[in-house]
Amino acid sequence: MSVSVEVMADEAPFQFLHSEVIEYIYKSADSGEVENGRNITKLENMGLRVGQGLIERLTKDTARFKDELDIMKFICKDFWTCVFKKQIDNLRTNHQGIYVLQDNKFRLLSHLSAGKQYLEHAPKYLAFTCGLVRGALSNLGVKSIVTAEVSVMPACKMHII
Amino acid sequence: MSVSVEVMADEAPFQFLHSEVIEYIYKSADSGEVENGRNITKLENMGLRVGQGLIERLTKDTARFKDELDIMKFICKDFWTCVFKKQIDNLRTNHQGIYVLQDNKFRLLSHLSAGKQYLEHAPKYLAFTCGLVRGALSNLGVKSIVTAEVSVMPACKMHII
């Protein structure tokens, strides 16, 4: 047997399941603007609970964080690697509670083609992850609003306020 | 920062998402026996599509399989490791198209307690994986019926006919 599992991306089962969840939620709802908003909320809530569960397991044996920036670094490095098998590429902050996390090759978008016509589909591929980050932060005592933005696929910016 | 990501199970994001999917499907349906059956089907269908996508990626550069047993070994070893980060512990066959795959520590059950009172909940934690295996096999040209059985948690037997 000649296999190439070594080059197989570890996050594939998660990615495929994530895609199916979106498919399922959108299929089981009626079409229309209102439903789209509801679907986004459903995906975000699902991400929220996954984020809470994951961060709890990830920080079980972690020393306390010294400040909010320290927490953000943990999200960018350890948390992101756990879920997406890579770190956030760039973290910026105004040092007043606003953070911008940039992932230049966001895994949950990388299966979509790079064409502009796919940009409109981006929000549904980002909702779960917005919830994921918000859930993780909330369990670490940081209340936040998390939004995401895509300008060039598959790069993605998460804004945390 | 003192973290212990090394001991963090790689499959955790997938596990947590899988649990949330079950939760979501069961919550959004009405209660009752019929609905339970429908939910199981929904989970199985979701697993089916994930299995199809995964096996396609996993076997992209794989040499052809010599026979059905060879395919089963691939499922037990490479496919199972990709999803659950461990191999199937035991594969048995009657050499007439029936296979029994045993996982002594099935990851999607390991968060449930070992008590007998949880056995009744086992089917909903197995449905997705039955579909997963069926989807993978179907993409490799093997039509199958896949059922699962739990006698002692968190061990699980998959029957493939």
Side-chain angles (χ1 to χ4, degrees), chain B residues 17 25 28 36 45 87 100 133 142 151:
Chain B
L17 180 52
I25 287 179
S28 54
N36 190 42
N45 285 337
Q87 295 184 19
V100 180
V133 173
V142 180
S151 45

Side-chain angles (χ1 to χ4, degrees), chain A residues 2-5 8, chain B residues 52-65 74-75 78-79 136 139-140:
Chain A
S2 148
V3 294
S4 63
V5 175
M8 168 74 194
Chain B
Q52 288 174 328
L54 268 180
I55 201 75
E56 207 177 299
R57 203 191 279 191
L58 264 176
T59 56
K60 218 170 39 182
D61 311 306
T62 305
R64 287 222 190 149
F65 298 103
F74 186 84
I75 298 289
D78 305 276
F79 184 76
N139 256 37
L140 297 175

Side-chain angles (χ1 to χ4, degrees), chain B residues 24-36:
Chain B
Y24 177 80
I25 287 179
Y26 275 77
K27 259 195 185 161
S28 54
D30 296 328
S31 56
E33 274 306 302
V34 180
E35 275 305 336
N36 190 42

Side-chain angles (χ1 to χ4, degrees), chain A residues 97-129:
Chain A
I98 296 182
Y99 301 86
V100 180
L101 284 58
Q102 184 167 330
D103 185 336
N104 293 331
K105 207 185 164 190
F106 184 53
R107 297 294 161 96
L108 299 182
L109 286 175
S110 58
H111 66 292
L112 293 180
S113 294
K116 273 208 170 159
Q117 69 271 35
Y118 294 102
L119 267 181
E120 59 174 308
H121 293 293
K124 65 178 177 181
Y125 290 96
L126 300 171
F128 177 88
T129 306

